Amino acid sequence: MEIPAINLKAIVLVHWLLTIWGYMESMPASYAWGNFSVLAVGVWAIAQRDSIDAVLMFLIGMALTVVTDIVHFGVVYPMIVSVKESDTQRFCMGMAILSLLLKPASCFFVYQMYRERGGDYNVNFGFPTVTRNRDAYQSIDHQDQSSPPSNPFGQAADPKSGPRSY
């Protein structure tokens, strides 16, 4: 089963929007600092398409924000429920919870991007994975014996010519 390719830009954009909506009211500043700093690393991963480190740091940051978001909800939600809850507070908490629920799926897709960029941490949870078919590639170490030796500098082979003076 082939896993659909999800664009890293889409993941960062969705979590950025949900973080903004979740932070509008009643969430502490540490919620915004944690999520926006991880999203900044995600922008770095978008900007450097070949960087394995950027994607790995984004993946680790997303996994850590799952834990910190759970702590934030555990601390903040009882305070919101104790006072009269407004529609805006319910909307903000709903968007923050939706962001939290989407983060494990986002981590899965970011991990697949990490593997595509050449990451070598092999974690198998039994989920379908994206595989690279390398059967069509030719090895650069093995050359055909039937091909004539190549002239890498494009010079004509002249047996009478000696060393050139430049």
Side-chain angles (χ1 to χ4, degrees), residues 85-114:
E85 191 175 348
S86 69
D87 291 337
T88 307
Q89 287 175 331
R90 277 194 295 264
F91 173 77
C92 292
M93 288 303 288
M95 293 301 107
I97 290 170
L98 180 61
S99 176
L100 176 64
L101 292 174
L102 289 177
K103 280 183 184 179
S106 297
C107 286
F108 176 74
F109 289 118
V110 171
Y111 176 71
Q112 293 301 325
M113 289 174 211
Y114 170 72

Side-chain angles (χ1 to χ4, degrees), residues 47-134:
Q48 291 187 347
R49 293 184 180 268
D50 296 334
S51 176
I52 297 171
D53 294 335
V55 175
L56 180 63
M57 287 180 64
F58 183 55
L59 176 62
I60 292 170
M62 288 288 281
L64 288 176
T65 57
V66 169
V67 175
T68 59
D69 287 356
I70 291 170
V71 170
H72 281 114
F73 295 141
V75 170
V76 172
Y77 195 72
M79 288 187 270
I80 294 172
V81 173
S82 65
V83 297
K84 183 157 173 51
E85 191 175 348
S86 69
D87 291 337
T88 307
Q89 287 175 331
R90 277 194 295 264
F91 173 77
C92 292
M93 288 303 288
M95 293 301 107
I97 290 170
L98 180 61
S99 176
L100 176 64
L101 292 174
L102 289 177
K103 280 183 184 179
S106 297
C107 286
F108 176 74
F109 289 118
V110 171
Y111 176 71
Q112 293 301 325
M113 289 174 211
Y114 170 72
R115 294 291 310 268
E116 288 174 3
R117 291 186 184 190
D120 58 356
Y121 291 126
N122 294 323
V123 179
N124 187 2
F125 294 114
F127 296 121
T129 60
V130 176
T131 60
R132 290 186 243 165
N133 185 4
R134 297 183 182 215

Side-chain angles (χ1 to χ4, degrees), residues 10-11 52 101 114 118 136 138-139 165:
I11 292 172
I52 297 171
L101 292 174
Y114 170 72
Q138 295 179 356
S139 173
S165 60

